[in-house]
Amino acid sequence: MQRLSLAGLAVLLHVLWADRREIIGPRLRDGAITLGILHRLEDLPVGWSDTAQEAAQYRVVPRADSARFGHVTGPLSWKRWLFLPEEVLFRAVRDDQDGGFTLSATPTAPLRAFLGVRGCDLAAIAIQDRIFAHDPAYCARREATLIIAINCLEPGGTCFCASMETGPQARGAFDLRLTEWLDAGTPSYLVESGSAAGRKLLARLPIEACTPEDQARVEQALAQAATRMGRQLDTGGLAERLAARPGHRHWQQVAARCLSCANCTLVCPTCFCSTIEDRTDLSGTTAERVRRWDSCFDLEHSYIVGGNVRADPAARYRQWLLHKLAYWHTQFGTSGCTGCGRCITWCPVGIDLTVEAAAVAGSEA
Ligand code: SF4
Ligand code: SF4
């Protein structure tokens, strides 16, 4: 572990820009800490926090220090740049000479760096890597993306990554991992590399040595953060307990509140439902196949040969929760939930995955 000063963080950004990488990171915009393109160091949300999240509640508040990463997860996740909300899978253009069609080539992937990926979101990227392992465009974008993770020392009110074993320490496929450390309100960054690309990047930065005490302080702060999660979920035997209760009365109680708005699936960093549209232009010369995000809360999503197999909101919520917390284990070998808390914060009626799962799993129907 080594240390970067605040000026060193600026050097990191300039090195990435010099490598012609687009940097995606946290920004304060429209009253939320969201993700977007960073053009300068000052674009980071200096001195702002959003940790006081609750079910259906989100506010940014000023901090008493100049932390750049003193927040948790906002409405956007990194999947926005890897699994695109809308993507042309291929385009066919009619050849005027022979009447045949020419198919477009796979698009190129821009060089990018993700700055400030938390443990829950790093785990979500790892999940989507498995889902899209055979999607050439996703794989090209992923290959072109450098990941700079950040350890989470101040969890938010709807966070439960400790329960899902995805945080607060950022673990997994990162290139660099930062820990923002505040001394008298001024941040510096403890930094570790996690890949060959990360080691090369680190060699170009003005790093300083860390002491064993620095390392011990970070470990202690991470251990304390794990005890301060706003939410918890008892995952012991959870998949089996949920799957055994398809007729539990609580599904109907959730459905009575659920608006089927799909917010929970759109903010979720692991949800991957999509729909396919074929479009042609009016002249009939160009046709394209487009994939766009869809949601299992959308009535049309489960329309199969003349009928909808999940016609009421109770069936759709049950499908979503059971897929996340039960069937995902069979399908992908992990939970589909990383404990980021977004679906709780951004549900307009405050439906809370941790509460609803416990209500179904913890009692007989
Ligand atoms: S289900 Fe909710 S808490 Fe879990 S990863 Fe998705 S948005 Fe985050
Ligand atoms: S659970 Fe909440 S966010 Fe999800 S569809 Fe229902 S009302 Fe919308």
Side-chain angles (χ1 to χ4, degrees):
M1 187 182 284
Q2 281 144 321
R3 185 187 289 273
L4 264 184
S5 65
L6 188 53
L9 182 69
V11 174
L12 168 60
L13 268 64
H14 283 287
V15 165
L16 295 170
W17 284 318
D19 289 347
R20 303 201 174 281
R21 287 188 184 274
E22 183 179 65
I23 306 177
I24 311 294
R27 299 194 57 153
L28 181 66
R29 195 171 55 210
D30 300 332
I33 296 173
T34 181
L35 298 173
I37 300 172
L38 303 183
H39 300 288
R40 50 201 187 122
L41 182 65
E42 293 73 27
D43 286 342
L44 290 167
V46 185
W48 288 96
S49 174
D50 63 359
T51 55
Q53 299 185 29
E54 271 306 325
Q57 289 180 37
Y58 181 92
R59 291 283 181 279
V60 290
V61 291
R63 297 172 57 95
D65 54 43
S66 58
R68 270 65 177 165
F69 299 94
H71 53 89
V72 282
T73 54
L76 271 188
S77 75
W78 309 91
K79 83 173 177 183
R80 163 75 183 72
W81 286 272
L82 292 172
F83 164 40
L84 306 185
E86 181 168 306
E87 178 166 26
V88 176
L89 298 179
F90 64 81
R91 182 174 288 119
V93 180
R94 189 191 294 275
D95 187 323
D96 286 339
Q97 302 298 319
D98 64 9
F101 284 90
T102 305
L103 290 183
S104 61
T106 308
T108 55
L111 283 178
R112 285 205 177 105
F114 289 171
L115 176 65
V117 182
R118 284 160 201 281
C120 55
D121 283 347
L122 201 52
I125 291 172
I127 286 172
Q128 291 219 323
D129 284 352
R130 286 201 289 284
I131 293 164
F132 293 109
H134 303 291
D135 180 316
Y138 177 97
C139 292
R141 285 191 287 272
R142 185 68 182 81
E143 185 70 22
T145 302
L146 201 79
I147 294 188
I148 302 170
I150 188 134
N151 282 328
C152 215
L153 302 186
E154 294 179 45
T158 56
C159 293
F160 56 104
C161 64
S163 298
M164 306 315 290
E165 299 181 358
T166 62
Q169 185 181 48
R171 294 183 291 257
F174 59 83
D175 295 292
L176 288 185
R177 178 170 64 191
L178 305 178
T179 307
E180 186 171 58
W181 197 262
L182 294 159
D183 279 309
T186 303
S188 63
Y189 299 88
L190 302 170
V191 55
E192 303 154 87
S193 59
S195 71
R199 282 188 288 282
K200 277 190 201 161
L201 185 56
L202 202 52
R204 299 164 67 191
L205 303 180
I207 46 176
E208 301 157 22
C210 264
T211 63
E213 290 75 34
D214 289 330
Q215 190 138 1
R217 285 198 301 173
V218 168
E219 281 166 18
Q220 191 182 14
L222 283 167
Q224 283 173 355
T227 66
R228 294 203 311 267
M229 298 278 144
R231 295 289 194 281
Q232 288 184 340
L233 186 62
D234 175 9
T235 58
L238 182 64
E240 295 75 20
R241 286 183 287 140
L242 288 172
R245 287 160 191 166
H248 197 287
R249 63 185 177 282
H250 194 71
W251 301 122
Q252 293 297 340
Q253 290 170 7
V254 176
R257 291 179 282 146
C258 177
L259 308 173
S260 286
C261 67
N263 264 17
C264 47
T265 55
L266 297 178
V267 295
C268 179
T270 67
C271 276
F272 60 92
C273 284
S274 63
T275 189
I276 298 290
E277 288 175 358
D278 287 336
R279 303 170 181 166
T280 51
D281 67 0
L282 288 175
S283 66
T285 56
T286 304
E288 54 187 25
R289 175 157 291 181
V290 177
R291 178 177 67 190
R292 63 172 174 77
W293 288 2
D294 201 1
S295 170
C296 54
F297 282 90
D298 184 345
L299 187 61
E300 295 304 311
H301 188 72
S302 59
Y303 184 93
I304 299 171
V305 253
N308 195 301
V309 296
R310 291 191 285 272
D312 65 279
R316 295 201 285 279
Y317 187 82
R318 183 180 58 203
Q319 153 65 23
W320 181 70
L321 198 81
L322 285 179
H323 191 205
K324 287 274 162 220
L325 300 176
Y327 309 145
W328 211 293
H329 285 279
T330 320
Q331 206 175 357
F332 301 112
T334 68
S335 172
C337 173
T338 68
C340 76
R342 288 185 179 91
C343 59
I344 304 170
T345 300
W346 296 97
C347 172
V349 294
I351 290 171
D352 182 332
L353 175 145
T354 61
V355 173
E356 320 310 342
V360 174
S363 67
E364 296 307 319

